[in-house]
Amino acid sequence: MNYKTDWVYNPAPESADHVRIQERYDLFINGKFIPSVKNAYFKTINPANENKLAQVAEAQKTDVGLAVRAAKKAYENIWSKMDPSERGKYIFRIARLIQERAREFAVIESLDGGKPIRESRDVDIPLAAAHFFYYAGWADKLEYAFPGRKTQPVGVAGQIIPWNFPLLMAAWKLAPALATGNTVVLKPAETTPLTAMKLAEIIQECELPPGVVNIVNGGGETGQALVEHPDVDKIAFTGSTEVGKFIMKTVAGTGKKYTLELGGKAANIIFEDAPLDQAVEGIITGIFFNQGHVCCAGSRLFVQESVAETVISKLKNRMETLIVGDPLDKNTDIGAINSKAQLDKIKMYVDIGQKEGGEIFQSSCNLPKKGYWHAPSLFTGVSQSHRVVQEEIFGPVLAIQSFRTVDEVIAKANNTPFGLSGGVWTDKGSKIFALSKAIRAGVIWANTFNKFDPSSPFGGYKESGLGREGGLEGLMPYVHLV
Ligand code: NAD
């Protein structure tokens, strides 16, 4: 059946009237907004139309030093000594204020990052608030988290985050660090600084003691200055495997604690006994959710040979119905690619895939003229050695292969340098248990995909990283057990 229709949905744009974006944002250090020492600014744009949204102060090494000094002072004099239940109250306050301003946060996330408002409204912002609520609850219960042990905070945490889930990644980092008594210098990604600056406003409104959370914007050099600073006791990094390896080398031998949440190339595995229509929805969510800008995206699809033709045909039909366009429109399924650099990278891989002999299918949607856009795409006729199968593209590009037996698909799924996530679709519980044990990945979803909860730990094997974030396990990197 071909689902493609000529229907056009009426526009249903989310209002942006209530959103306040300043022309300029400064650094947030010691509870105040201050310019960088060099008075340097960079612009952040809306990737859906390339319009400038704001100027953002770029932190230099000296600014990072000031932020770390403020964090160290706040750690030694206030935060580490505060009664844990009081710390918890501050974190609850942050969570509640995010909820109160959820619509504003969602619109800004979509404007600055390009993701559909449905996702920022229903996933990013509620999950960010949920993370603060969850860890606020742990603040005065650490003796139950680690029975029979006492915990000591680590000190100043330097936290570096990517652009795909800006506020959510900030929440993953800040909430457990604060709950365990650490202070923070956070560096957001250079293409999505705005919701972190809004979070800074909330932190001020909550009257969090000055210096407990500091936010410095900038690119790789700013991040590197934070990693190298001798008074930073722990590094929490989420980003590419390449930068993760560099950070690992930098902190080697310094005694700093570190966690690395890196890239992925998840296998989504469909057996012939799976509910196929549901599985097709899962594949769509797995790879096209957030334009494929997801570390745990189901970017490799393995379909059992007997149903491969059916699944691929259903998938192509479903791809044709996806609405690509204005991120602020509530009907939009696929928004803008986050930056020109990322769009170029995706196009490069699509080119490589074709040159290596893969057969491409792209949905026939009309892409907007301005801004950064890529049609949902899939490759068939590829094998394990193709680069589109092996390397992380971080865009809406799916590589499909078939398999016959359980052993074969386990071997194929594990033939990757990554190990972040995976998905299994089958009617048989025994297959789910067998595969989730055999596949070397931090999270395996069964008959669903890309589901998150603050109480579930998340993290990778192999080149997908070290350590866990979320859940009880997410407290561990921020404490010394005594
Ligand atoms: P990136 O590594 O280029 O940048 C991530 C952050 O690191 C940014 O804030 C950047 O400014 C900073 N940075 C860059 N160079 C640095 C350096 N030398 N020292 C310190 N900091 C530096 O990654 P990206 O392109 O922003 O994000 C995409 C990547 O993030 C993908 O590989 C994706 O899989 C990964 N990711 C992983 C997870 C996870 O939980 N495992 C979650 C989201 C994204």
Side-chain angles (χ1 to χ4, degrees):
M1 199 198 309
N2 190 340
Y3 295 100
K4 185 160 174 59
T5 68
D6 294 327
W7 300 347
V8 179
Y9 281 75
N10 281 336
E14 172 74 33
S15 158
D17 296 351
H18 55 98
V19 169
R20 286 180 305 111
I21 299 181
Q22 289 169 207
E23 266 182 35
R24 252 161 67 155
Y25 285 95
D26 285 322
L27 308 171
F28 184 64
I29 297 179
N30 208 24
K32 294 197 178 77
F33 290 94
I34 55 167
S36 74
V37 284
K38 274 200 181 160
N39 216 18
Y41 289 85
F42 63 96
K43 67 174 180 186
T44 184
I45 64 159
N46 178 346
N49 55 22
E50 298 167 62
N51 292 342
K52 186 178 104 179
L53 292 168
Q55 294 271 108
V56 181
E58 183 178 2
Q60 316 293 313
K61 201 170 173 178
T62 319
D63 300 305
V64 171
L66 288 175
V68 174
R69 199 183 315 154
K72 191 171 159 75
K73 206 166 138 213
Y75 173 75
E76 286 171 353
N77 298 338
I78 308 172
W79 198 247
S80 64
K81 295 186 177 151
M82 189 181 278
D83 185 282
S85 63
E86 290 302 312
R87 283 202 301 254
K89 285 183 202 165
Y90 280 107
I91 306 168
F92 273 123
R93 226 175 275 167
I94 296 173
R96 280 199 300 266
L97 284 178
I98 291 176
Q99 281 188 325
E100 262 175 38
R101 290 170 66 174
R103 277 188 65 201
E104 189 183 7
F105 269 105
V107 172
I108 295 177
E109 205 71 301
S110 286
L111 287 172
D112 205 18
K115 62 173 62 196
I117 188 74
R118 274 208 324 254
E119 276 167 29
S120 37
R121 185 195 62 196
D122 299 346
V123 181
D124 293 61
I125 311 305
L127 266 179
H131 261 83
F132 281 109
F133 275 123
Y134 176 78
Y135 281 110
W138 274 120
D140 60 353
K141 300 175 197 69
L142 295 177
E143 74 232 57
Y144 301 103
F146 305 103
R149 307 290 294 271
K150 285 213 175 321
T151 63
Q152 273 175 0
V154 173
V156 175
Q159 306 186 320
I160 300 170
I161 54 174
W163 42 261
N164 59 342
F165 291 90
L167 185 72
L168 183 58
M169 288 298 110
W172 278 27
K173 298 277 179 281
L174 288 170
L178 297 181
T180 43
N182 302 276
T183 57
V184 173
V185 178
L186 175 79
K187 195 205 81 65
E190 52 272 42
T191 57
T192 51
L194 292 187
T195 42
M197 295 324 289
K198 283 276 147 188
L199 184 62
E201 288 175 8
I202 279 187
I203 284 167
Q204 247 186 355
E205 209 178 320
C206 291
E207 296 176 359
L208 201 73
V212 172
V213 173
N214 307 273
I215 305 182
V216 290
N217 281 299
E221 280 178 25
T222 311
Q224 195 174 335
L226 188 55
V227 174
E228 287 171 353
H229 198 293
D231 286 338
V232 169
D233 304 288
K234 186 225 152 33
I235 294 292
F237 172 77
T238 298
S240 60
T241 296
E242 191 191 350
V243 176
K245 284 180 182 173
F246 180 75
I247 289 177
M248 207 167 169
K249 281 184 200 149
T250 310
V251 300
T254 62
K256 287 181 192 185
K257 275 188 147 210
Y258 61 97
T259 39
L260 303 172
E261 297 285 351
L262 310 176
K265 194 78 188 174
N268 209 356
I269 300 168
I270 318 286
F271 285 96
E272 61 189 0
D273 58 1
L276 295 187
D277 289 321
Q278 230 172 294
V280 167
E281 280 309 306
I283 300 164
I284 295 278
T285 310
I287 184 63
F288 299 131
F289 171 61
N290 197 18
Q291 298 72 250
H293 297 335
V294 185
C295 51
C296 48
S299 50
R300 292 180 300 154
L301 173 65
F302 294 98
V303 196
Q304 201 155 24
E305 201 174 82
S306 51
V307 291
E309 215 176 291
T310 315
V311 168
I312 293 169
S313 148
K314 281 176 185 280
L315 192 56
K316 287 179 177 173
N317 276 330
R318 180 68 179 95
M319 281 166 72
E320 285 291 9
T321 66
L322 293 173
I323 299 172
V324 183
D326 180 8
L328 284 189
D329 194 306
K330 285 167 238 168
N331 292 321
T332 295
D333 297 305
I334 300 190
I337 300 300
N338 181 263
S339 66
K340 174 153 188 326
Q342 188 58 30
L343 178 61
D344 290 344
K345 183 178 168 197
I346 297 166
K347 285 181 174 168
M348 178 193 84
Y349 273 109
V350 165
D351 215 35
I352 290 171
Q354 285 171 291
K355 284 197 179 121
E356 287 187 340
E359 193 180 314
I360 192 166
F361 170 84
Q362 295 190 306
S363 83
S364 56
C365 55
N366 293 323
L367 298 180
K369 296 278 174 291
K370 266 188 101 187
Y372 313 130
W373 303 93
H374 200 279
S377 310
L378 63 78
F379 276 104
T380 48
V382 288
S383 62
Q384 293 291 83
S385 59
H386 280 79
R387 284 182 67 189
V388 290
V389 172
Q390 281 297 324
E391 297 173 22
E392 187 187 41
I393 302 173
F394 219 56
V397 182
L398 177 67
I400 306 182
Q401 296 176 77
S402 62
F403 69 92
R404 287 182 183 167
T405 65
V406 170
D407 287 347
E408 180 192 349
V409 79
I410 289 171
K412 282 181 165 170
N414 280 334
N415 180 15
T416 166
F418 298 108
L420 193 57
S421 62
V424 183
W425 297 80
T426 171
D427 200 27
K428 280 260 180 290
S430 57
K431 260 190 234 159
I432 292 171
F433 287 123
L435 265 89
S436 48
K437 270 172 83 177
I439 291 174
R440 300 270 299 154
V443 53
I444 307 279
W445 288 286
N447 294 329
T448 185
F449 208 87
N450 270 346
K451 288 275 181 283
F452 290 92
D453 187 275
S455 60
S456 299
F458 185 83
Y461 286 87
K462 303 194 274 186
E463 292 194 11
S464 288
L466 280 171
R468 295 291 178 263
E469 287 185 327
L472 193 61
E473 289 79 357
L475 293 166
M476 191 69 103
Y478 290 99
V479 293
H480 292 301
L481 294 179
V482 287

